[in-house]
Amino acid sequence: MRISFADSRPAHPHALAIAVAPATLSGAGLAALPEAAQALARAAAQASRFDGEKGAVVEFYGETDAAHRRLLLAGIGAKSDFERAGAALVAKLLTSGEKTLVVDISAVAGDKPAEAAAHLAFGAALRGWRHDIYRTKLDAKQRPSLEEIVIVGGGADAPTLWADREAVAEGVMFTRTLITEPANILYPESFVERCRPLADLGVKIEVLDPEAMAKLGMGALLGVAQGSVRPAQLLVMTWNGTGNDSEPPIAFVGKGVTFDTGGISLKPPAGMEDMKWDMGGAGAVAGAMKALALRKAKAHVIGVCGLVENMPDGNAQRPGDVVTSMSGQTIEVINTDAEGRLVLCDALTWVQKTHKPKTIVDLATLTGAMIISLGFEYGGMFANDDELAGQLLAAGSDVGDKLWRMPLGDPYDKLIDSPIADMKNVGPREGGSITAAQFLKRFIDDGVRWAHLDIAGMVWASKPGATWDKGATGYGVRLLDRFVEQNIEKR
Ligand code: BES
Ligand code: MN
Ligand code: ZN
């Protein structure tokens, strides 16, 4: 979708949307339309019980600029939610047959018109993303028709502000693509290949292969991978936009299980296909790195993706096996389906030993129990530092990647003690997300600020949301980007 900004409406055929707030529905709010079309607009609004609420759209037909065309009113609500308005318009028009949409925001743009225009463009871009490459027989009427959006009324600074938002949208869309690709296409090595082009943006790409990981003693991660013919990869992406080599980094660490069968503790068949998106944490890290590099964020960030496939073959690890992690701590693998923590623990140890970050945020589709706790509305956050927790909560609520803080504590930690090793990889069923977090906490060095985001319920949506269709949401990219912007760049 091409997005541009203009002072006046283009001459070529287009649908025309007027952004309206509850207060601008009467009076001069519709002044962009000729009188006759204004009357139609008011009638359409009334008939549809539309009062400018955010994300609501009314559609009618009328004449402007000497042509009959599709006209729309797009509500921004009382709090001027341009992102929702942009998304709602695209949801409505994506396969409508229209090729060009013009959105006039003049009446509601207020004193920050460029910001308003950029937000509208952002919502539109995010909602317009599709992954149709495998649908070779898609009916013509189901194919996207919308090619172009022209936003009128954003003023001269709109393109500059949009450039930053566009960077983040690109990151979100990259993540969605990674998450949507099936596991025969996206596996550890091909995940790495998809990320290599980030080098062109100035991201340093390093990859540890199984031999390198074995040398480092990553027995926990490699234990998960040993049941698959796909070699594991530890992907390390570094972005330093500070211009200072000695700037201490922060680290993002993602669970990248490109498919999770459960291993020998095999999952039941129903819904197992969902486990292609068990790399959603790694996907979010990759998308965030792309966003940060594209907008040249003034921050030093290391993104680490632990990439493995969890399969049950003759060489797969067995329940009861004891593995030694890179940290030296030993783990009794009670359940081979609790593999994410085994992957993450070695990735966490590696990044601490190698780069000494003071702050680490890990993201993982770690537990089904997280979905039982919070449903599909909030990611669960576990943190050893109240300031970091507050920063992530704030960033998340700003951008709509909502988080809810969960508890940690010694009584939970005790539940993963093992009679034969330093710990076991599962606790009791109750509090399953918390014991998973406690497991990870055992690998965090003293003095390191750490947050673990269990995003099992957030990566994939069974129904459309504000800025996504059903399917991959891209959760986490905007969150990490905003966290960096607010807390690392603006220090
Ligand atoms: N990848 C799953 C968690 C998951 C489940 C994510 C559903 C998204 C949707 C994880 O590896 C897993 O299998 N966890 C087990 C842990 C259990 C064996 C302690 C679970 O949640 O059942
Ligand atoms: Mn699993
Ligand atoms: Zn998993």
Side-chain angles (χ1 to χ4, degrees):
M1 195 126 50
R2 299 192 305 279
I3 297 184
S4 62
F5 304 88
D7 296 332
S8 58
R9 302 199 280 263
H12 58 276
H14 59 264
L16 172 63
I18 311 295
V20 296
T24 68
L25 205 46
S26 52
L30 303 178
L33 299 174
E35 296 258 337
Q38 286 187 32
L40 282 174
R42 291 202 179 88
Q46 202 176 19
S48 314
R49 301 179 174 184
F50 171 89
D51 59 10
E53 62 268 46
K54 70 173 176 190
V57 171
V58 207
E59 190 183 359
F60 55 105
Y61 284 80
E63 189 179 321
T64 65
D65 306 308
H68 290 112
R69 68 181 83 243
R70 190 191 306 246
L71 300 172
L72 306 103
L73 300 179
I76 60 166
K79 291 183 185 153
S80 295
D81 195 334
F82 286 92
E83 186 181 304
R84 281 290 288 277
L89 282 168
V90 168
K92 185 106 191 157
L93 295 181
L94 192 61
T95 58
S96 64
E98 299 287 353
K99 284 189 177 166
T100 299
L101 166 67
V102 177
V103 190
D104 193 320
I105 63 169
S106 321
V108 285
D111 51 4
K112 287 182 177 158
E115 228 165 77
H119 281 138
L120 190 129
F122 191 46
L126 289 176
R127 190 60 181 81
W129 178 86
R130 308 247 297 201
H131 193 66
D132 285 339
I133 57 174
Y134 302 121
R135 307 190 66 178
T136 66
K137 302 208 164 145
L138 200 60
D139 188 67
K141 287 185 180 177
Q142 291 182 331
R143 288 181 197 280
S145 58
L146 196 64
E147 292 169 354
E148 182 190 24
I149 299 179
V150 182
I151 300 171
V152 174
D157 294 336
T160 320
L161 290 188
W162 166 233
D164 263 15
R165 291 302 87 208
E166 189 178 20
V168 180
E170 292 289 335
V172 172
M173 293 189 278
F174 180 48
T175 297
R176 288 179 182 170
T177 301
L178 293 171
I179 285 169
T180 307
E181 288 289 10
N184 60 328
I185 304 291
L186 199 86
Y187 43 90
E189 288 167 308
S190 61
F191 187 113
V192 168
E193 289 316 309
R194 298 276 178 126
C195 293
R196 284 206 189 273
L198 297 186
D200 299 339
L201 306 174
V203 176
K204 187 167 107 199
I205 306 279
E206 291 167 274
V207 184
L208 275 62
D209 62 11
E211 292 68 41
M213 288 190 270
K215 265 194 199 139
L216 291 166
M218 293 191 184
L221 186 153
L222 290 172
V224 176
Q226 79 188 33
S228 169
V229 295
R230 311 281 198 196
Q233 310 271 285
L234 191 81
L235 167 64
V236 186
M237 295 167 281
T238 306
W239 167 254
N240 190 350
T242 66
N244 174 4
D245 287 345
S246 55
E247 176 76 21
I250 67 159
F252 298 147
V253 178
K255 168 180 172 180
V257 176
T258 57
F259 197 79
D260 180 12
T261 64
I264 295 301
S265 312
L266 194 63
K267 287 182 180 295
M272 202 203 276
E273 68 281 5
D274 281 350
M275 288 299 107
K276 74 170 182 180
W277 48 260
D278 205 19
M279 34 56 70
V285 169
M289 297 308 295
K290 180 163 189 174
L292 294 169
L294 275 171
R295 69 171 185 79
K296 301 191 167 44
K298 291 183 182 57
H300 186 187
V301 184
I302 298 175
V304 180
C305 297
L307 301 166
V308 303
E309 187 181 53
N310 189 21
M311 298 288 274
D313 83 357
N315 192 45
Q317 68 179 343
R318 293 142 294 251
D321 283 5
V322 174
V323 296
T324 303
S325 66
M326 183 180 174
S327 73
Q329 299 181 92
T330 57
I331 304 158
E332 182 188 12
V333 180
I334 298 291
N335 188 323
T336 65
D337 196 12
E339 85 296 342
R341 62 201 78 181
L342 298 170
V343 174
L344 284 173
C345 70
D346 278 340
L348 288 165
T349 299
W350 182 87
V351 78
Q352 290 172 100
K353 286 207 163 133
T354 314
H355 293 285
K356 307 254 177 312
K358 290 208 171 64
T359 302
I360 302 177
V361 181
D362 78 68
L363 297 93
T365 49
L366 205 61
T367 64
M370 200 69 249
I371 308 178
I372 303 301
S373 299
L374 298 177
F376 303 104
E377 293 302 318
Y378 291 85
M381 172 181 58
F382 301 82
N384 66 2
D385 183 278
D386 292 342
E387 185 194 34
L388 175 62
Q391 292 169 340
L392 287 164
L393 284 173
S397 87
D398 269 11
V399 300
D401 286 350
K402 290 182 294 177
L403 288 171
W404 193 266
R405 191 168 182 186
M406 301 281 293
L408 290 165
D410 286 340
Y412 295 112
D413 180 73
K414 287 195 182 62
L415 300 174
I416 52 169
D417 285 339
S418 158
I420 186 176
D422 297 334
M423 69 195 87
K424 50 189 183 182
N425 77 329
V426 293
R429 212 166 80 85
E430 299 80 12
S433 307
I434 310 175
T435 44
Q438 294 292 161
F439 180 98
L440 298 177
K441 188 168 182 290
R442 291 191 181 204
F443 296 85
I444 302 300
D445 297 340
D446 285 344
V448 174
R449 300 197 317 164
W450 161 75
H452 155 59
L453 313 184
D454 190 336
I455 61 173
M458 306 311 290
V459 160
W460 195 261
S462 57
K463 51 184 197 307
T467 50
W468 58 87
D469 201 346
K470 58 182 191 296
T473 62
Y475 181 96
V477 175
R478 299 179 62 183
L479 169 71
L480 294 178
D481 174 74
R482 183 58 60 92
F483 169 76
V484 167
E485 184 191 332
Q486 285 177 339
N487 303 292
I488 314 294
E489 295 183 87
K490 291 185 180 153
R491 261 181 327 181

